[in-house]
């Protein structure tokens, strides 16, 4: 029905309506001519983490057209003809739809959320010249691919004809008199999601934890860890379908956050428990290191190529072909290991530990502290560590020290994010913004260093058997040079970036939020 | 937006049939089309089952603006609208003269449609007058149906001398043979002669077929009620040529 949506009137058909009776009643006043029925397939798409929905966008197919519209607005912003639905933004034909989508979904795959089948019975309303003066469509929408399809919506559409609005106005009156009500402005997307039992926006890899400030530290820590475990479990099952790279990525971040929480939130759990799971999660993390590295290089294939002089662009292909081969090997290894008994046992034990109600009289030193005090203390301590090592680097920049500062900053970032709900949102936002600027500088520097080393190692490993092999090595060399130039610029920017981060104003911000406010609260 | 006039200063040559079918075919290929019936006999309007009436008659038409805009009717076909004729169009010529710069009037009248349509097709009355000058001066392409008879040669020469006198580009005028009887040797001989004599003769022939006359009974374009027929195929071939001239060459 999407073709005819513009300027049309839509009426709800109640569950017990009778098309025949309504038509019979209208036929007393109008000449109606039934047309042949038609059905149309519709389907809605989004990424696993609802990137389109979070931007109030709806991507849908209707017949052989793929269109993008805003939620609660039936007029498409973009629309193209398609043979099959593209999976990634890069698979779309060049144009404004692709640009719009790729800025939102980035590297994520589009998944079909729900498919609908809509059956329509059209009627023409004719005047005495047998000219069409209005059109009526009875539309029934069902979930497609169901054994016993349930009707999820039924509408009567009135499509006016230009120059004959009198008839449409009159028909509207008749329809309202017969008890039909204009359809509420409810989006078919929402109706279909509800019918299919989907919860738009329901998954996000972002931490969304609510804690009570007075809660004991051990209980609060378990809430955080349980949240992370959910993300681990949700993504782990999807990694094997290999629909995009981000299932693994979200999985790995949740693992890393879990490890970080275990090692930084000290003294809340029995020591031997903490030690055991630290080792276990470190083991799980390492399982997919190779795969993630390969994913990142392959995701950046185009970016790397654009750094190369035109004459060398095709010569780098053997490197990416090799990476693709290696990646499929790594992928199989990861899938096998995630199904292994060892992995399952770790997750099971971890889940039982998190679900055991905490004991009232815990013996660990910090277990019973109110979480707000404990969190403020460890966050501020970590912040002081960042300042100290940063200041030391300013005296004498060494690559190794930058690398260590990056990790210190990351630990601080994770801590702040774990406990962000305990503080004022506005202030946490500005604290994170300042920290992020520093992290970006350190992260870029680290990425480039790692990439240089990786490419060098690749140059050693590449099976160079073909005629153009030497050119491939030249291309890799050229790429390393480009990366190194960038790296030097970023290195030069460190001092300025760190000085901004450690400005008096920012120091006050951290001090106020994590120390003084606590003191004012009488502690 | 592109504009096309189906014009002949000779009557009964298949202008309206061509205008109606070409508009229908263009619309069915996805081009938003408005067919403008300028003939007081209002045959095109009749074929689309619309009443021949426009708001405020010929005066309203010539003033242009909202009155004309609101007179547009949706046809029974997607992408195709009609600006109906009005009986008062018989006075169109005299009334055109009353306006200052009367030769640019038509351009002003169609200006509001620019953003809405890809194509406007004018079905013109058979006359050679101020209205004809307006049309020749306004449209991107004028299409003249020619029946292969000696009288048609004569009337087309009249049109060409008008162009010369008024400085209109005869390069925008295209011809096609209409109502051709394939059994008549005379038709074949004259077609060959005219194709050599005149510029812009399109290699498409619309035969004399009774199915085209049946449009008056069905009140629909041939292409709508008899989609696979030879007549429809001939109009489709004609549209194919015109589409190239209008949308790709210029």
């Amino acid at each position: 029905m999407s073709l005819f949506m513009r300027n049309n009137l839509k009426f709800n058909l109640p569950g017990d309506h009778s098309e025949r009776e309504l038509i019979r009643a209208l036929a007393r006043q109008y000449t109606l001519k039934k047309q042949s029925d038609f059905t149309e397939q519709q389907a809605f798409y989004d990424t696993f983490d609802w990137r389109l929905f979070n931007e109030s966008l709806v991507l849908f197919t209707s017949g052989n057209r793929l269109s993008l519209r805003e939620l609660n607005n039936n007029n498409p912003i973009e629309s193209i003809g398609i043979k099959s639905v593209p999976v990634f933004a890069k698979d779309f034909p060049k144009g404004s739809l692709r640009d719009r989508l790729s800025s939102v979904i980035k590297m994520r795959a589009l998944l079909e959320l729900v498919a609908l089948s809509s059956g329509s019975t059209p009627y023409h309303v004719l005047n005495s010249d047998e000219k069409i003066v209005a059109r009526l469509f009875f539309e029934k929408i069902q979930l497609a691919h169901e054994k016993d399809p349930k009707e999820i919506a039924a509408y009567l559409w009135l499509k006016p004809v230009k120059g004959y609005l009198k008839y449409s106005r009159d028909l509207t009156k008749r329809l309202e008199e017969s008890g039909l009500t204009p359809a509420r402005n409810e989006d078919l997307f929402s109706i279909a999601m509800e019918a299919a039992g989907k919860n738009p926006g329901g998954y996000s890899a972002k931490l969304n934890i609510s804690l009570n400030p007075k809660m004991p530290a051990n209980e609060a820590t378990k809430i955080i860890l349980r949240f992370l475990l959910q993300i681990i479990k949700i993504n782990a099952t999807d990694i094997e379908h290999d629909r995009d790279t981000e299932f693994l990525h979200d999985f790995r971040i949740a693992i890393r956050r879990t490890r970080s929480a275990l090692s930084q939130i000290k003294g809340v759990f029995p020591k031997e428990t903490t030690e055991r799971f630290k080792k276990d999660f470190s083991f799980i993390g390492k399982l997919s290191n190779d795969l993630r590295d390969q994913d990142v290089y392959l995701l950046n294939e185009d970016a790397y190529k654009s750094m190369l002089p035109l004459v060398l662009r095709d010569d780098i292909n053997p490197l990416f072909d090799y990476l693709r081969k290696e990646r499929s090997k790594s992928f199989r290894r990861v899938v096998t290991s995630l199904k292994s008994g060892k992995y399952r046992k770790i997750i099971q034990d971890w889940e039982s530990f998190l679900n055991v109600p905490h004991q009232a009289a815990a013996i660990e030193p910090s277990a019973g502290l109110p979480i707000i005090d404990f969190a403020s203390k460890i966050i501020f301590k970590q912040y002081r560590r960042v300042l100290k090592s940063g200041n030391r680097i300013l005296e004498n920049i060494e690559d190794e020290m930058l690398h260590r500062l990056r990790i210190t900053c990351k630990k601080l970032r994770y801590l702040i994010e774990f406990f962000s709900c305990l503080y004022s949102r506005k202030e946490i936002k500005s604290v994170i913004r300042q920290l992020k600027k520093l992290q970006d500088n350190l992260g870029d520097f680290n990425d480039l260093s790692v990439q240089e080393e990786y490419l060098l190692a690749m140059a050693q490993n590449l099976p160079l058997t073909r005629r153009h092999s030497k050119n491939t090595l030249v291309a890799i060399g050229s790429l390393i040079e480009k990366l190194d130039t960038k790296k030097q610029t970023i290195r030069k920017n460190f001092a300025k970036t760190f000085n901004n981060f450690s400005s008096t104003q920012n120091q006050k911000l951290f001090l106020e939020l994590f120390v003084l406010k606590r003191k004012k609260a009488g502690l | 937006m592109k504009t096309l006039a189906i014009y002949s200063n000779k009557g009964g040559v298949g202008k309206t049939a061509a205008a109606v079918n070409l508009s229908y075919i263009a619309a069915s290929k996805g081009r938003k089309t408005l067919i403008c019936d300028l003939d007081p006999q209002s045959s095109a309007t009749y074929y689309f089952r619309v009443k021949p009436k426009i708001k405020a008659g010929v005066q309203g038409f010539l003033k242009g603006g909202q009155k004309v805009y609101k007179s547009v009717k949706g046809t029974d076909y997607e992408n195709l609208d009609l600006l109906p004729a009005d009986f008062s169009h018989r006075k169109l010529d005299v009334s055109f003269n009353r306006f200052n710069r009367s030769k640019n009037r038509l351009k002003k009248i169609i200006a509001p449609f620019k953003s809405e349509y890809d194509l406007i097709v004018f079905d013109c009355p058979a006359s050679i007058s101020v209205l004809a000058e307006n049309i020749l001066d306004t449209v991107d392409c004028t299409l003249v149906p020619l029946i292969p008879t000696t009288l048609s040669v004569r009337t087309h020469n009249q049109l060409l001398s008008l162009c010369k006198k008024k400085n209109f580009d005869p390069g925008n005028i295209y011809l096609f043979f209409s109502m051709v009887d394939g059994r008549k040797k005379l038709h074949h001989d004259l077609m060959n002669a005219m194709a050599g004599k005149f510029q812009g003769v399109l290699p498409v022939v619309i035969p004399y077929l009774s199915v085209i006359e049946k449009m008056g009974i069905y009140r629909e374009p041939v292409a709508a009620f008899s989609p696979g027929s030879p007549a429809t195929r001939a109009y489709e071939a004609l549209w194919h040529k015109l589409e190239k001239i209008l949308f790709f060459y210029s």
Side-chain angles (χ1 to χ4, degrees), chain B residues 2 140-141 172 174 242-250:
Chain B
K2 297 289 179 183
D140 298 306
C141 173
N172 292 334
Y174 292 86
L242 286 167
E243 189 177 39
K244 276 190 184 155
I245 292 164
L246 284 165
F247 292 96
F248 303 132
Y249 294 163
S250 54

Side-chain angles (χ1 to χ4, degrees), chain A residues 485-504:
Chain A
T485 315
K486 266 193 177 179
K487 193 175 100 172
Q488 295 315 324
T489 321
I490 288 166
R491 199 176 197 264
K492 271 190 205 125
N493 285 341
F494 170 77
K496 203 177 139 205
T497 315
F498 184 77
N499 281 329
N500 279 339
F501 176 76
S502 59
S503 69
T504 336

Side-chain angles (χ1 to χ4, degrees), chain A residues 130-132 135 162-163, chain B residues 49 73-74 76 81 116-117:
Chain A
E130 296 195 24
K131 163 86 184 74
I132 302 171
R135 291 178 172 88
K162 196 185 275 176
Chain B
R49 301 162 188 259
K73 301 280 180 187
D76 289 0
D81 289 347
E116 199 161 333
Y117 296 99

Side-chain angles (χ1 to χ4, degrees), chain A residues 3-4 127-132 135 159 161-164, chain B residues 48-51 72-77 81 116-117 219:
Chain A
L3 260 181
F4 305 111
N127 66 7
S128 55
D129 287 318
E130 296 195 24
K131 163 86 184 74
I132 302 171
R135 291 178 172 88
K159 188 193 183 193
V161 173
K162 196 185 275 176
Y164 299 92
Chain B
F48 287 111
R49 301 162 188 259
V50 175
K51 291 194 174 64
V72 170
K73 301 280 180 187
T75 69
D76 289 0
Y77 314 104
D81 289 347
E116 199 161 333
Y117 296 99
R219 296 183 76 179

